[in-house]
Amino acid sequence: MLALSAGCSSAETSSPDDAAPKSPSASVPVIATDEARQVFERYDRATAAADAALDDAAIRKVQMGVLLKESLAGYEIHRKAKTEDGVFHLVQPRFLIPAVEAGESYPRFFAVLSKWKGREKDRSSQLLYFMQTEAKGPWKAAAAGWVVTEPAKTPPSSAPAPSPAPTNNGKTSVRLQPKVLPDLRRGASGTVQLSDTAQTDRTVCDSFADYLSFTPPLGRPTDDRFTEGGFTSDLVRFHNNWADARAERSFSYKVTGADLPAFRLSTGSSLVACTFVREYREAGAPPHGTVRYDQGSDTDVLLGGGGKQWRRVDETSSVTALIEVPAGKSLPPATVLACDCYDPQALSATGIRPE
């Protein structure tokens, strides 16, 4: 299991943008704020009820795509383990609604930053992307992540955070100091500005997948495409430490899901959401080595439970990252603002038993 201790946590993203280009006269918000609030509140109620009942049919009514796959996988793990899912509510929504030109095709998107009820003072916020695939079709949540949105009240220590290391109870604590999400650019009407280089911006997802695909200990901590930090260089070092003469391990990331909107930030950079399927393979060292997972862990549950030994295990997980992509022809490195890379949602696991 992995315990994440973030050195930062949330920021208001609503500064108007005086320098933003004028929107076409035919542009209108993709959804009215009141309607977006209704979508959000209906989603929160329905998700809480579905989570409590582990109800696949109910969650399908409000989720789609990557996020739906994560929920269905989580429900299946709870059912197999005979455990209950936690029920939480989202509050304090802040709507990120772009403008759309008349006649523009579908799908269409808006996003919401919000807080977990009971953790309103946390500096991080949840970010939900809602998607409508056709005219008058339902709005469903397609992806979700988190990001630090408020600055620390006291300056963070300049001393480097300690490297992740096992603790006495078998868990791992990872200290992170993520960058605060810059304000989003907004026009005079309050709509958030979309990047006019979205297709190019999204290539950062392929770059991040390439960066994180390696066999420990051969991962490259530094990469000219990304700034160093908790979700890049530290993450690679963390997984490089998994190298073990008794086992063979490898990571492979593939971009998946819908192309989510790239929002323009006040810095001129773009906020890009990337969703991946992570394939993790672990095998006992030849010729007869085996691997085993803690009984009751998600991987163990997906493999049938019992903490059995396996010759090889292939596991897939879902990963979401939020990346700040600088603008300009000569691009400086991108910054990964947040990622569930340390503790992704397991989707499936298959194994080969020893002969």
Side-chain angles (χ1 to χ4, degrees):
M1 295 181 65
L2 185 69
L4 290 179
S5 176
C8 317
S9 328
S10 289
E12 184 63 37
T13 56
S14 60
S15 65
D17 172 40
D18 296 332
K22 294 182 179 179
S23 300
S25 57
S27 293
V28 295
V30 70
I31 186 173
T33 301
D34 287 346
E35 184 182 354
R37 188 178 301 278
Q38 292 174 10
V39 170
F40 171 78
E41 292 176 350
R42 181 168 59 249
Y43 170 82
D44 180 66
R45 292 192 302 270
T47 301
D51 289 351
L54 303 179
D55 190 334
D56 291 0
I59 201 64
R60 288 180 185 276
K61 294 179 180 179
V62 291
Q63 290 183 355
M64 64 189 304
V66 169
L67 187 56
L68 176 61
K69 291 179 181 179
E70 292 176 355
S71 292
L72 294 177
Y75 291 177
E76 183 64 14
I77 291 170
H78 281 296
R79 284 192 288 263
K80 287 183 175 180
K82 295 181 171 54
T83 56
E84 296 181 352
D85 197 359
V87 177
F88 306 96
H89 287 279
L90 294 167
V91 295
Q92 299 181 2
R94 289 169 282 166
F95 299 98
L96 312 182
I97 300 174
V100 62
E101 293 186 45
E104 188 168 314
S105 61
Y106 290 80
R108 296 179 178 182
F109 297 88
F110 74 92
V112 184
L113 283 163
S114 60
K115 302 286 189 181
W116 291 117
K117 187 174 182 180
R119 296 178 56 186
E120 290 87 348
K121 294 183 179 181
D122 193 281
R123 294 175 44 237
S124 64
S125 298
Q126 301 303 303
L127 180 57
L128 275 168
Y129 289 84
F130 287 91
M131 178 178 176
Q132 185 185 48
T133 59
E134 60 185 5
K136 298 183 180 180
W139 286 95
K140 295 184 179 183
W146 66 273
V147 66
V148 175
T149 50
E150 280 91 60
K153 293 182 179 180
T154 57
S157 170
S158 59
S163 300
T167 61
N168 293 333
N169 61 3
K171 296 183 179 181
T172 299
S173 179
V174 180
R175 294 179 59 187
L176 303 170
Q177 291 185 344
K179 178 181 177 181
V180 177
L181 174 69
D183 290 341
L184 277 82
R185 283 188 174 178
R186 294 182 184 267
S189 66
T191 56
V192 292
Q193 184 183 339
L194 294 174
S195 169
D196 54 7
T197 57
Q199 186 172 354
T200 300
D201 296 338
R202 291 192 194 102
T203 62
V204 75
C205 299
D206 293 301
S207 297
F208 196 50
D210 173 67
Y211 176 39
L212 295 185
S213 298
F214 60 88
T215 298
L218 303 179
R220 297 165 296 134
T222 58
D223 189 302
D224 291 342
R225 296 171 293 183
F226 297 96
T227 59
E228 296 188 36
F231 305 110
T232 50
S233 53
D234 291 349
L235 176 65
V236 173
R237 293 187 185 99
F238 176 78
H239 283 147
N240 275 340
N241 286 335
W242 288 17
D244 189 331
R246 298 167 297 178
E248 298 175 342
R249 299 182 169 102
S250 66
F251 296 91
S252 176
Y253 283 70
K254 296 180 180 179
V255 178
T256 190
D259 286 342
L260 299 169
F263 296 121
R264 185 67 77 195
L265 300 172
S266 60
T267 57
S269 300
S270 297
L271 176 64
V272 176
C274 303
T275 52
F276 308 93
V277 170
R278 188 189 80 173
E279 297 177 356
Y280 172 62
R281 173 172 290 184
E282 183 172 14
H288 304 298
T290 60
V291 296
R292 176 186 301 211
Y293 297 87
D294 291 340
Q295 189 166 348
S297 66
D298 287 355
T299 306
D300 176 63
V301 169
L302 288 170
L303 290 170
K308 302 181 184 71
Q309 290 184 331
W310 300 88
R311 182 74 187 90
R312 191 186 83 192
V313 171
D314 294 284
E315 178 181 331
T316 65
S317 302
S318 182
V319 174
T320 300
L322 294 173
I323 304 178
E324 181 183 358
V325 181
K329 294 182 179 180
S330 179
L331 297 180
T335 298
V336 182
L337 299 174
C339 180
D340 56 358
C341 310
Y342 289 96
D343 191 21
Q345 171 63 56
L347 299 177
S348 67
T350 57
I352 298 175
R353 295 275 288 149
E355 296 181 357

